[in-house]
Every structure is written in C-alpha cells, then in structure tokens.
Amino acid sequence: MAHDSGRLFAAYLTKKRPVIEAYLAEHAPRPEAGEPSRADMDRYAYAPLAHFTEQGGKRTRPALVLLGCEAVGGDAKRALSSAAAIEYFQSAALIHDDIADEGKLRRGEPCTYITEGTGVAINIGDLGIVHTFRLILDDEMLDGATKLSVLHLIAQMEQRTVEGQAMDLGWTRDGRWDITADDYMSMARHKTAYYSAATPLSVGALCGGGTKEQIDALHAFGMDAGLAFQLQDDLLNLVGDAGKQGKDFRTDITEGKRTLAVAYALGHLPDKKRSELISILSARTEDEAELARAVALMDEAGAIEYVRSTARGLAASAKQQIASLAWAPDAQELLSAMADFFVERVG
C-alpha cells in the first residue's frame, strides 16, 4: 500500500518536472544586455551555473513548492519563481558543499571546483544565491507583501542550512567522534529538512494564499518528512543499490561523515570495534573491503535498522501534522504519498 502511495508522488514529480525546467531555462541568470564583457562573465559564471542547474535530478524541492501552493487551493503559477529560487539555492549549496567536503563527483560529473577551479566555483555558487532573491523580486505575479514574506522564509531557510553545515564541517575539522544521535538529528534538521521540504512547502502555501494554520502545518510536515528524506539518503549511500549509486556508493564512509548510523554505532559498539570503525572513517579509504567492513560494524550495532525505523517513524509523524486541516482535493493523499516516497525511494 505504501509502495503504491510512493508511486503517486513519483508521478507528480514526473508531471511537474517539464514545467519547472521550462521556467528555470527561461529565467536563468544572464549578464546585462550590451555588456561588453558579457562573453567572459558568461564563461566564468553564468554558463557553469546554468550547466550545473540543468543537470538537476527529479526537481523534488521545486515540485514541493508547487504542491504547497496547490494544497491550499492556489494557482501554481504564482509559486514558480519561488520554486526556481529554491532550485538555484540547491545548486549553490551543492557547489559550495563539494568544495568543503573535497568531493570528486556530483551528478555523474567532476565537481565544479575541479573543472573550474576553487575560486571560480565559489563565485558561481555565490551567483546562485544572489539569483535566489532576484527571481522573487522580479516576479510580477506577486504583490510586495507576499514577496517580503517569501523572502523572509527563504532567508531563514538559508540561515538554518548554514547553521547545519557549520556543525557538520566543524565536527569534521575538529576530529569529533563524540557526536550523539540527537546531535546528528539537530544538524540534519538544520542542514537538510528546512530546504528539502519544510520551506518549499510553506513558501508554496504562502504564494497560494494559505492560512497561517495551513502554512504552519505544512512546515511541520516538511520538517519531519525532510528529515526522513535525509535518513533515507544516508541509508542508500551505505546499503542501497551499488549500481544505481555508481561511484557515489559509500562515499559517506570515505569522507568520514557523521551520519545517524555512525553516531548510533559508535554509541553501541564495544570499545575495540568502536575504535576500528573510527579508524576506517578517518582513513578516507576507497577500498571496497574496508568500506564493507564499516557497514558491517554499523549493522552489527543495530544502526542500519535504527536509521530505517527512525525514518519510517518520521514519515508517519509527518502525516499526522496535516491530518486535522482541510486541503484542496487530493492534496492530503499526495502529501502522504510524498512522505512514503521519501522513505521508499531506491535512488
């Protein structure tokens, strides 16, 4: 039953993707017309950002903006600028994140900082952040008061994401392995849940003229669902389909990421095996046997099942957040399908 529900949301993503991609292409940032240095600006900033954004996957986050708008009975066209804005923030965040994590591949290609150089890549990401706000400010479908409210929510989202990233990067820089499951959940709420689900849905509802109760309920729903999304991401990296994951498979171990599985395992393994797991996570190894051993240690501690169970619990909690309010026809079913999809997806 839940599997069928997940397919319903997957179909929604497929339906909305062409609309989103057409808007992204039409509203991509460009140098000023007649600018004599346009060619260089395009080469070193605009074209790489456009290329990176074009490679985006299912367009889940912008689709959630449209879903939030439709759920409160609004016209989804009013939410397209916010949908595109959040997609550009996603581009910027990933470009910057790859630099911080010293990643190698993103979306099946070498990371932007590898192809363009670190300094240029930082600037490309900065352009993505600037365009986040420009898209909304230039939208003639939104009145001034709505624009201010949307910009406030998006600025809050970006601040929360930075806070989560600060924790994640700081733990790595300081060699911290004393991270608890609660620590990880706090970091992931800030780094992922706001921009992956809570803000897209609530911004969409705002654009659609939703009530405060509806906007708040969609935000709470998105916080739970967004966190479930991150936990499923973590699981796929460890125990998903290696063929579908490709060269990204088990890179969280290579990069020594403090995931919920890691935090739980370190809190439940005996000292000798705890030290062994820390040693593997600290080595930046790409050896398949070592990576498999790290997963085996986490599984032995019960961490894999703990993460899976926690993700499912969050999906169930998300559904309860929207149960008591009235929504547009079929919206509640689609939102529930989204929560199921987040913990069912295999890639």
Side-chain angles (χ1 to χ4, degrees):
M1 185 70 176
H3 187 65
D4 291 339
S5 176
R7 281 205 296 264
L8 178 66
F9 182 69
Y12 181 82
L13 292 180
T14 300
K15 178 182 176 182
K16 294 299 180 181
R17 183 172 176 175
V19 177
I20 293 163
E21 294 192 339
Y23 192 93
L24 287 168
E26 184 180 352
H27 295 84
R30 296 176 177 88
E32 281 188 291
E35 169 58 54
S37 299
R38 184 185 180 98
D40 280 348
M41 291 178 182
D42 192 61
R43 165 65 188 88
Y44 299 124
Y46 293 95
L49 178 62
H51 175 75
F52 186 89
T53 304
E54 286 166 4
Q55 306 308 307
K58 299 180 180 72
R59 307 296 187 192
T60 304
R61 293 167 183 83
L64 293 186
V65 180
L66 305 187
L67 177 55
C69 184
E70 293 168 349
V72 299
D75 179 359
K77 292 179 182 177
R78 287 176 51 83
L80 276 168
S81 63
S82 296
I86 287 176
E87 186 69 3
Y88 271 102
F89 175 70
Q90 160 84 341
S91 292
L94 293 179
I95 289 168
H96 286 165
D97 202 39
D98 287 339
I99 297 168
D101 291 342
E102 299 179 1
K104 294 182 179 179
L105 289 174
R106 175 68 68 179
R107 296 173 173 171
E109 296 184 356
C111 295
T112 303
Y113 81 95
I114 292 174
T115 59
E116 301 293 336
T118 300
V120 173
I122 291 171
N123 201 55
I124 292 167
D126 290 346
L127 176 62
I129 293 172
V130 169
H131 198 51
T132 296
F133 296 100
R134 181 71 183 265
L135 280 162
I136 295 160
L137 290 169
D138 288 349
D139 188 350
E140 295 180 356
M141 292 192 71
L142 301 179
D143 60 88
T146 301
K147 287 180 183 180
L148 281 175
S149 296
V150 168
L151 289 170
H152 181 269
L153 284 180
I154 288 182
Q156 180 192 61
M157 171 195 79
E158 295 190 5
Q159 182 178 349
R160 296 294 170 261
T161 305
V162 169
E163 290 168 350
Q165 178 76 329
M167 296 169 70
D168 198 14
L169 292 174
W171 294 340
T172 300
R173 186 198 68 183
D174 292 346
R176 295 270 306 277
W177 295 110
D178 60 340
I179 308 306
T180 66
D182 286 344
D183 293 331
Y184 173 83
M185 296 292 270
S186 176
M187 183 277 291
R189 282 190 188 95
H190 287 75
K191 183 175 177 178
T192 301
Y194 274 91
Y195 98 93
S196 289
T199 301
L201 287 165
S202 53
V203 161
L206 181 57
C207 291
T211 65
K212 183 179 185 305
E213 290 75 19
Q214 287 175 317
I215 293 169
D216 288 348
L218 285 173
H219 185 273
F221 169 89
M223 289 301 291
D224 282 343
L227 193 49
F229 179 92
Q230 180 60 55
L231 296 185
Q232 181 67 4
D233 242 18
D234 294 346
L235 281 175
L236 290 173
N237 191 272
L238 295 175
V239 295
D241 186 322
K244 291 183 178 180
Q245 294 284 309
K247 292 185 178 180
D248 288 335
F249 189 55
R250 294 181 172 170
T251 52
D252 284 358
I253 301 171
T254 301
E255 294 171 13
K257 288 192 175 181
R258 279 71 170 165
T259 62
L260 182 59
V262 167
Y264 186 91
L266 292 179
H268 290 79
L269 285 170
D271 289 346
K272 186 176 179 179
K273 291 184 177 179
R274 182 179 187 276
S275 297
E276 182 185 0
L277 179 56
I278 291 173
S279 178
I280 297 171
L281 291 165
S282 302
R284 300 192 71 86
T285 182
E286 297 181 8
D287 180 81
E288 290 185 10
E290 287 290 286
L291 299 178
R293 175 58 180 163
V295 173
L297 287 167
M298 292 183 226
D299 194 28
E300 182 180 328
I304 303 300
E305 184 52 40
Y306 176 78
V307 175
R308 186 174 288 118
S309 174
T310 302
R312 289 172 177 164
L314 284 163
S317 174
K319 295 175 189 180
Q320 289 300 312
Q321 303 287 359
I322 57 170
S324 62
L325 294 178
W327 305 99
D330 302 324
Q332 186 166 345
E333 181 184 9
L334 192 51
L335 287 163
S336 295
M338 167 197 150
D340 290 333
F341 175 82
F342 275 11
V343 294
E344 287 173 14
R345 61 200 172 88
V346 294

Short mmCIF file of all heavy atoms in Angstrom, two decimals, residues 309-344:
data_model
loop_
_atom_site.label_atom_id
_atom_site.label_comp_id
_atom_site.label_asym_id
_atom_site.label_seq_id
_atom_site.Cartn_x
_atom_site.Cartn_y
_atom_site.Cartn_z
N SER A 309 14.13 2.47 10.86
CA SER A 309 12.96 2.60 11.72
C SER A 309 12.67 4.07 12.04
O SER A 309 11.51 4.50 12.06
CB SER A 309 13.18 1.81 13.01
OG SER A 309 12.13 2.02 13.92
N THR A 310 13.71 4.84 12.30
CA THR A 310 13.54 6.26 12.60
C THR A 310 12.95 7.01 11.42
O THR A 310 12.06 7.85 11.57
CB THR A 310 14.88 6.88 13.02
OG1 THR A 310 15.41 6.19 14.15
CG2 THR A 310 14.71 8.36 13.38
N ALA A 311 13.44 6.70 10.22
CA ALA A 311 12.91 7.35 9.01
C ALA A 311 11.43 7.05 8.83
O ALA A 311 10.63 7.95 8.52
CB ALA A 311 13.70 6.89 7.79
N ARG A 312 11.05 5.79 9.04
CA ARG A 312 9.65 5.43 8.89
C ARG A 312 8.78 6.11 9.94
O ARG A 312 7.65 6.54 9.67
CB ARG A 312 9.50 3.92 8.97
CG ARG A 312 10.05 3.19 7.73
CD ARG A 312 10.08 1.70 7.90
NE ARG A 312 10.56 1.04 6.69
CZ ARG A 312 10.96 -0.22 6.63
NH1 ARG A 312 10.95 -0.97 7.73
NH2 ARG A 312 11.39 -0.74 5.50
N GLY A 313 9.31 6.22 11.15
CA GLY A 313 8.58 6.91 12.21
C GLY A 313 8.37 8.38 11.89
O GLY A 313 7.30 8.94 12.17
N LEU A 314 9.36 9.01 11.31
CA LEU A 314 9.25 10.42 10.92
C LEU A 314 8.22 10.59 9.81
O LEU A 314 7.45 11.57 9.80
CB LEU A 314 10.60 10.95 10.47
CG LEU A 314 11.59 11.24 11.59
CD1 LEU A 314 13.02 11.35 11.04
CD2 LEU A 314 11.21 12.53 12.32
N ALA A 315 8.18 9.65 8.86
CA ALA A 315 7.18 9.73 7.79
C ALA A 315 5.77 9.64 8.37
O ALA A 315 4.86 10.36 7.96
CB ALA A 315 7.42 8.63 6.77
N ALA A 316 5.58 8.75 9.34
CA ALA A 316 4.27 8.61 9.99
C ALA A 316 3.91 9.87 10.76
O ALA A 316 2.77 10.34 10.73
CB ALA A 316 4.28 7.40 10.92
N SER A 317 4.89 10.45 11.45
CA SER A 317 4.67 11.68 12.20
C SER A 317 4.30 12.83 11.26
O SER A 317 3.43 13.65 11.57
CB SER A 317 5.93 12.04 13.00
OG SER A 317 5.78 13.30 13.63
N ALA A 318 4.96 12.87 10.09
CA ALA A 318 4.66 13.92 9.12
C ALA A 318 3.19 13.89 8.72
O ALA A 318 2.52 14.93 8.66
CB ALA A 318 5.56 13.75 7.89
N LYS A 319 2.67 12.71 8.48
CA LYS A 319 1.28 12.58 8.06
C LYS A 319 0.32 13.11 9.12
O LYS A 319 -0.72 13.71 8.80
CB LYS A 319 0.96 11.13 7.73
CG LYS A 319 1.72 10.58 6.53
CD LYS A 319 1.42 9.09 6.35
CE LYS A 319 2.31 8.46 5.31
NZ LYS A 319 2.03 7.02 5.13
N GLN A 320 0.68 12.91 10.38
CA GLN A 320 -0.17 13.40 11.46
C GLN A 320 -0.21 14.92 11.53
O GLN A 320 -1.20 15.51 11.99
CB GLN A 320 0.31 12.83 12.81
CG GLN A 320 0.05 11.35 12.97
CD GLN A 320 -1.42 11.00 12.89
OE1 GLN A 320 -2.26 11.64 13.53
NE2 GLN A 320 -1.76 10.00 12.07
N GLN A 321 0.84 15.57 11.08
CA GLN A 321 0.91 17.04 11.14
C GLN A 321 -0.15 17.70 10.27
O GLN A 321 -0.52 18.85 10.52
CB GLN A 321 2.30 17.51 10.69
CG GLN A 321 3.48 16.96 11.45
CD GLN A 321 3.62 17.54 12.85
OE1 GLN A 321 2.84 18.38 13.28
NE2 GLN A 321 4.63 17.09 13.58
N ILE A 322 -0.62 17.01 9.24
CA ILE A 322 -1.59 17.61 8.31
C ILE A 322 -2.97 16.99 8.41
O ILE A 322 -3.87 17.33 7.64
CB ILE A 322 -1.08 17.50 6.86
CG1 ILE A 322 -0.82 16.04 6.48
CG2 ILE A 322 0.18 18.34 6.66
CD1 ILE A 322 -0.56 15.82 5.00
N ALA A 323 -3.15 16.10 9.38
CA ALA A 323 -4.38 15.30 9.42
C ALA A 323 -5.62 16.10 9.82
O ALA A 323 -6.74 15.73 9.44
CB ALA A 323 -4.20 14.13 10.38
N SER A 324 -5.46 17.18 10.56
CA SER A 324 -6.63 17.84 11.14
C SER A 324 -7.11 19.07 10.38
O SER A 324 -8.06 19.72 10.81
CB SER A 324 -6.31 18.25 12.60
OG SER A 324 -5.24 19.18 12.63
N LEU A 325 -6.47 19.39 9.23
CA LEU A 325 -6.85 20.58 8.48
C LEU A 325 -7.47 20.22 7.14
O LEU A 325 -7.26 19.12 6.62
CB LEU A 325 -5.63 21.49 8.25
CG LEU A 325 -5.01 22.14 9.49
CD1 LEU A 325 -3.79 22.95 9.09
CD2 LEU A 325 -6.02 23.02 10.21
N ALA A 326 -8.21 21.16 6.57
CA ALA A 326 -8.81 20.96 5.26
C ALA A 326 -7.82 21.38 4.17
O ALA A 326 -7.14 22.40 4.30
CB ALA A 326 -10.08 21.79 5.14
N TRP A 327 -7.75 20.60 3.11
CA TRP A 327 -6.84 20.86 2.00
C TRP A 327 -7.60 20.77 0.69
O TRP A 327 -8.74 20.29 0.64
CB TRP A 327 -5.68 19.85 2.01
CG TRP A 327 -4.95 19.82 3.31
CD1 TRP A 327 -5.11 18.92 4.32
CD2 TRP A 327 -3.97 20.76 3.77
NE1 TRP A 327 -4.28 19.23 5.38
CE2 TRP A 327 -3.56 20.35 5.07
CE3 TRP A 327 -3.39 21.89 3.20
CZ2 TRP A 327 -2.61 21.05 5.80
CZ3 TRP A 327 -2.43 22.59 3.93
CH2 TRP A 327 -2.06 22.17 5.22
N ALA A 328 -6.98 21.22 -0.37
CA ALA A 328 -7.58 21.10 -1.69
C ALA A 328 -7.79 19.62 -2.03
O ALA A 328 -7.11 18.75 -1.46
CB ALA A 328 -6.68 21.76 -2.73
N PRO A 329 -8.72 19.32 -2.94
CA PRO A 329 -8.99 17.91 -3.27
C PRO A 329 -7.71 17.16 -3.66
O PRO A 329 -6.90 17.66 -4.43
CB PRO A 329 -9.93 18.03 -4.48
CG PRO A 329 -10.63 19.35 -4.29
CD PRO A 329 -9.62 20.25 -3.66
N ASP A 330 -7.57 15.98 -3.10
CA ASP A 330 -6.45 15.06 -3.37
C ASP A 330 -5.11 15.50 -2.78
O ASP A 330 -4.13 14.76 -2.84
CB ASP A 330 -6.25 14.83 -4.88
CG ASP A 330 -7.50 14.27 -5.55
OD1 ASP A 330 -8.19 13.47 -4.90
OD2 ASP A 330 -7.77 14.65 -6.71
N ALA A 331 -5.05 16.69 -2.18
CA ALA A 331 -3.76 17.21 -1.69
C ALA A 331 -3.23 16.39 -0.52
O ALA A 331 -2.02 16.10 -0.46
CB ALA A 331 -3.88 18.68 -1.30
N GLN A 332 -4.09 16.03 0.42
CA GLN A 332 -3.62 15.29 1.57
C GLN A 332 -3.09 13.92 1.16
O GLN A 332 -2.07 13.44 1.68
CB GLN A 332 -4.72 15.14 2.62
CG GLN A 332 -4.22 14.50 3.92
CD GLN A 332 -5.21 14.66 5.06
OE1 GLN A 332 -6.12 15.46 4.99
NE2 GLN A 332 -5.01 13.89 6.13
N GLU A 333 -3.78 13.27 0.19
CA GLU A 333 -3.31 11.99 -0.30
C GLU A 333 -1.93 12.13 -0.96
O GLU A 333 -1.05 11.29 -0.77
CB GLU A 333 -4.30 11.41 -1.30
CG GLU A 333 -3.89 10.04 -1.84
CD GLU A 333 -4.83 9.51 -2.90
OE1 GLU A 333 -5.72 10.28 -3.35
OE2 GLU A 333 -4.67 8.33 -3.29
N LEU A 334 -1.75 13.20 -1.70
CA LEU A 334 -0.49 13.43 -2.39
C LEU A 334 0.64 13.75 -1.40
O LEU A 334 1.77 13.27 -1.55
CB LEU A 334 -0.65 14.55 -3.41
CG LEU A 334 0.48 14.77 -4.42
CD1 LEU A 334 0.85 13.47 -5.13
CD2 LEU A 334 0.07 15.84 -5.42
N LEU A 335 0.32 14.53 -0.37
CA LEU A 335 1.32 14.83 0.66
C LEU A 335 1.72 13.55 1.41
O LEU A 335 2.91 13.33 1.69
CB LEU A 335 0.78 15.87 1.63
CG LEU A 335 0.68 17.30 1.09
CD1 LEU A 335 -0.23 18.15 1.96
CD2 LEU A 335 2.08 17.93 1.01
N SER A 336 0.74 12.72 1.74
CA SER A 336 1.05 11.45 2.39
C SER A 336 1.91 10.57 1.49
O SER A 336 2.84 9.89 1.94
CB SER A 336 -0.24 10.71 2.76
OG SER A 336 -0.97 11.44 3.74
N ALA A 337 1.62 10.60 0.20
CA ALA A 337 2.41 9.85 -0.77
C ALA A 337 3.84 10.35 -0.82
O ALA A 337 4.78 9.57 -0.97
CB ALA A 337 1.77 9.95 -2.16
N MET A 338 3.99 11.65 -0.66
CA MET A 338 5.34 12.23 -0.62
C MET A 338 6.13 11.67 0.56
O MET A 338 7.30 11.29 0.42
CB MET A 338 5.23 13.75 -0.50
CG MET A 338 6.53 14.46 -0.15
SD MET A 338 6.19 16.14 0.45
CE MET A 338 7.59 16.36 1.55
N ALA A 339 5.51 11.61 1.74
CA ALA A 339 6.20 11.08 2.92
C ALA A 339 6.61 9.63 2.69
O ALA A 339 7.72 9.22 3.05
CB ALA A 339 5.31 11.21 4.15
N ASP A 340 5.72 8.85 2.08
CA ASP A 340 6.06 7.46 1.77
C ASP A 340 7.19 7.38 0.76
O ASP A 340 8.12 6.56 0.90
CB ASP A 340 4.82 6.73 1.21
CG ASP A 340 3.75 6.50 2.25
OD1 ASP A 340 4.10 6.42 3.45
OD2 ASP A 340 2.56 6.41 1.88
N PHE A 341 7.13 8.19 -0.26
CA PHE A 341 8.15 8.20 -1.31
C PHE A 341 9.53 8.49 -0.72
O PHE A 341 10.54 7.87 -1.12
CB PHE A 341 7.79 9.26 -2.36
CG PHE A 341 8.84 9.45 -3.43
CD1 PHE A 341 8.89 8.59 -4.52
CD2 PHE A 341 9.75 10.49 -3.34
CE1 PHE A 341 9.86 8.77 -5.51
CE2 PHE A 341 10.70 10.68 -4.33
CZ PHE A 341 10.76 9.82 -5.42
N PHE A 342 9.58 9.41 0.22
CA PHE A 342 10.87 9.80 0.80
C PHE A 342 11.57 8.64 1.50
O PHE A 342 12.80 8.62 1.56
CB PHE A 342 10.65 10.96 1.79
CG PHE A 342 10.64 12.32 1.14
CD1 PHE A 342 10.57 12.46 -0.23
CD2 PHE A 342 10.65 13.47 1.92
CE1 PHE A 342 10.55 13.71 -0.83
CE2 PHE A 342 10.64 14.73 1.33
CZ PHE A 342 10.59 14.85 -0.05
N VAL A 343 10.80 7.70 2.06
CA VAL A 343 11.43 6.58 2.76
C VAL A 343 11.42 5.28 1.96
O VAL A 343 11.93 4.26 2.42
CB VAL A 343 10.79 6.33 4.15
CG1 VAL A 343 11.05 7.51 5.07
CG2 VAL A 343 9.29 6.07 4.03
N GLU A 344 10.86 5.32 0.75
CA GLU A 344 10.83 4.13 -0.10
C GLU A 344 11.84 4.19 -1.24
O GLU A 344 12.21 3.16 -1.77
CB GLU A 344 9.44 4.00 -0.77
CG GLU A 344 8.33 3.56 0.13
CD GLU A 344 7.00 3.64 -0.62
OE1 GLU A 344 7.02 3.78 -1.86
OE2 GLU A 344 5.98 3.61 0.05
#
